[in-house]
Amino acid sequence: MIHNFNPGPAALPPDVIARAQAELADYHGCGMSVLEISHRSKEYEAINAAAEANLKALLGLGDDYRVLFMQGGASMQFALIPLNLLPAGATAEYIVTGTWGEKAYEEAQRVGAVRLLASTAADGYRSLPSIDAITPDPQAAYLHLTTNETIQGVQWPAELPDLGSVPLVADMSSDFLSRPFPAQRFALIYAGAQKNLGPAGVTVVVIRQDMIERGRKDLPVIMRYATFAKNNSLYNTPPVFAVYMVNLVLEWIKDQGGLAAMAERNARKAALVYAAIDGSDGFYSGHAVPAARSLMNVTFRLPTPELEKQFLNEAQAAGMVGLAGHRSVGGIRASLYNAVAPESAAALADFMQDFAKRHG
């Protein structure tokens, strides 16, 4: 058995893979694969509509929100958000708690006026900023944050602190649909699919209707959120198969019991791995402070780079893949997205305990 801890593209539910395999050659009797059907066909329009409806149902959102299926990953959204939502004369605010928030902030600076509202760079992105020290400007165009930092393993709590009335924009690429959260508090949510939602190739944007309407009208048509909303994400050819897979994953989440079931499943997995860290007498050292620990990406170090390399080699031999930390920081990272089985987390925790006994 392979235990897939890849950070993205990442594990997909085996039931979803099996269903996609069964439907691949002949989708619902149309005589063609989903990989072949036209994005203008009734079959794909039904997939597209079902994916939007299923996602909104899981989030408890109504007609005042739209779901857009776009391309370019979260990195494209780093630019499209300020291009659409940051008019001349206005300022956007950013809270930065890791590498991806940093990249979003840097990209927005190329577009317009932005203010760094808070950052934890000084402590190496190990914690979350003190809310008492954050004073959002209610006149800001929007306030952006990253709910989970995959590289540093830092995550905001699901119930975010009160950040005022400013439109809240969030990169949720790596923890979207991993737990219940108050989706109605957000003006815009975006997520690359390749972690919790499906395969690489599609980016999901959940946007409130008033934010679509306030978007700039002088952008190229393909860069406007309004274009995708007006055309139900079918202005140009969408990533058909990726959206199809996203819809299968959404149905799987619903069948598992929804976001509450995902939260319980993910908390149980993370607890196993963090217990192995905390019970190692310092052999393993977690990067994030306990109050900011991510349930999605568990990041830690071993006493030496040589031991880290040996850990990764032995883990690979034991069928555990994707555990190397991001190339920018090194170390170890176990990504525990929705589709990662609890048995995989238990296997990793057992391996960690054995490795520490042998080398500690």
Side-chain angles (χ1 to χ4, degrees):
M1 177 180 179
I2 292 295
H3 302 285
N4 184 355
F5 299 104
N6 276 311
L12 286 164
D15 290 349
V16 168
I17 295 290
R19 181 173 170 186
Q21 182 182 36
E23 295 180 340
L24 186 61
D26 183 0
Y27 180 69
H28 290 199
C30 74
M32 294 175 289
S33 169
V34 178
L35 292 163
E36 300 172 296
I37 61 175
S38 168
H39 66 293
R40 304 295 181 192
S41 67
K42 68 181 190 303
E43 289 84 4
Y44 179 70
E45 288 186 355
I47 291 169
N48 192 79
E52 176 167 8
N54 284 330
L55 181 51
K56 288 169 68 172
L58 283 170
L59 297 177
L61 297 176
D63 292 340
D64 53 337
Y65 281 84
R66 291 300 311 273
V67 176
L68 313 179
F69 299 110
M70 305 181 71
Q71 299 178 58
S75 296
M76 179 70 79
Q77 298 303 317
F78 295 165
L80 290 184
I81 288 165
L83 282 169
N84 278 269
L85 305 180
L86 181 54
T91 300
E93 298 185 319
Y94 280 70
I95 298 174
V96 176
T97 53
T99 299
W100 296 112
E102 194 175 79
K103 289 181 180 295
Y105 173 64
E106 290 172 352
E107 193 76 343
Q109 287 179 291
R110 298 183 174 95
V111 176
V114 295
R115 180 165 78 101
L116 183 61
L117 192 59
S119 171
T120 54
D123 76 351
Y125 296 130
R126 294 169 53 86
S127 63
L128 296 169
S130 170
I131 296 302
D132 294 338
I134 297 176
T135 307
D137 179 359
Q139 301 304 314
Y142 62 85
L143 170 58
H144 180 285
L145 56 81
T146 307
T147 53
N148 183 74
E149 285 285 354
T150 58
I151 294 176
Q152 285 80 19
V154 171
Q155 185 179 32
W156 286 88
E159 293 289 340
L160 286 171
D162 185 4
L163 295 170
S165 60
V166 60
L168 192 57
V169 173
D171 178 358
M172 292 191 178
S173 291
S174 51
D175 65 350
F176 193 44
L177 303 189
S178 68
R179 57 188 181 176
F181 69 98
Q184 296 87 349
R185 291 181 59 187
F186 293 86
L188 186 151
I189 298 163
Y190 62 102
Q194 67 273 13
K195 302 177 187 296
N196 268 323
L197 289 174
V202 62
T203 305
V204 173
V205 175
V206 182
I207 183 170
R208 205 169 61 209
Q209 190 68 42
D210 66 297
M211 301 301 285
I212 297 172
E213 293 165 358
R214 77 169 61 176
R216 283 174 50 184
K217 309 298 191 294
D218 59 342
L219 294 176
V221 173
I222 193 65
M223 299 172 72
R224 301 179 204 166
Y225 292 129
T227 300
F228 284 80
K230 179 181 178 181
N231 293 278
N232 297 319
S233 301
L234 298 172
Y235 175 75
N236 66 332
T237 306
V240 169
F241 189 75
V243 176
Y244 159 75
M245 290 294 290
V246 165
N247 190 48
L248 295 190
V249 172
L250 294 173
E251 292 181 356
W252 175 81
I253 292 174
K254 182 175 64 175
D255 291 343
Q256 298 303 304
L259 301 191
M262 291 298 102
E264 187 279 329
R265 173 186 173 97
N266 292 327
R268 184 157 38 102
K269 292 183 296 186
L272 291 170
V273 182
Y274 282 120
I277 293 172
D278 294 339
S280 69
D281 293 325
F283 182 78
Y284 301 112
S285 56
H287 176 78
V289 302
R293 281 175 166 175
S294 170
L295 300 184
M296 294 285 95
N297 309 100
V298 180
T299 53
F300 58 96
R301 304 302 300 253
L302 276 70
T304 67
E306 291 74 22
L307 276 174
E308 289 177 348
K309 183 176 181 180
Q310 186 172 351
F311 179 97
L312 292 170
N313 287 337
E314 291 190 20
Q316 179 88 22
M320 301 178 197
V321 301
L323 286 168
H326 191 271
R327 61 187 179 277
S328 65
V329 296
I332 311 297
R333 172 176 56 180
S335 295
L336 304 174
Y337 302 130
N338 286 348
V340 174
E343 293 78 10
S344 291
L348 174 59
D350 289 344
F351 172 80
M352 292 171 64
Q353 291 165 356
D354 177 69
F355 191 89
K357 286 179 183 176
R358 290 187 286 111
H359 299 284

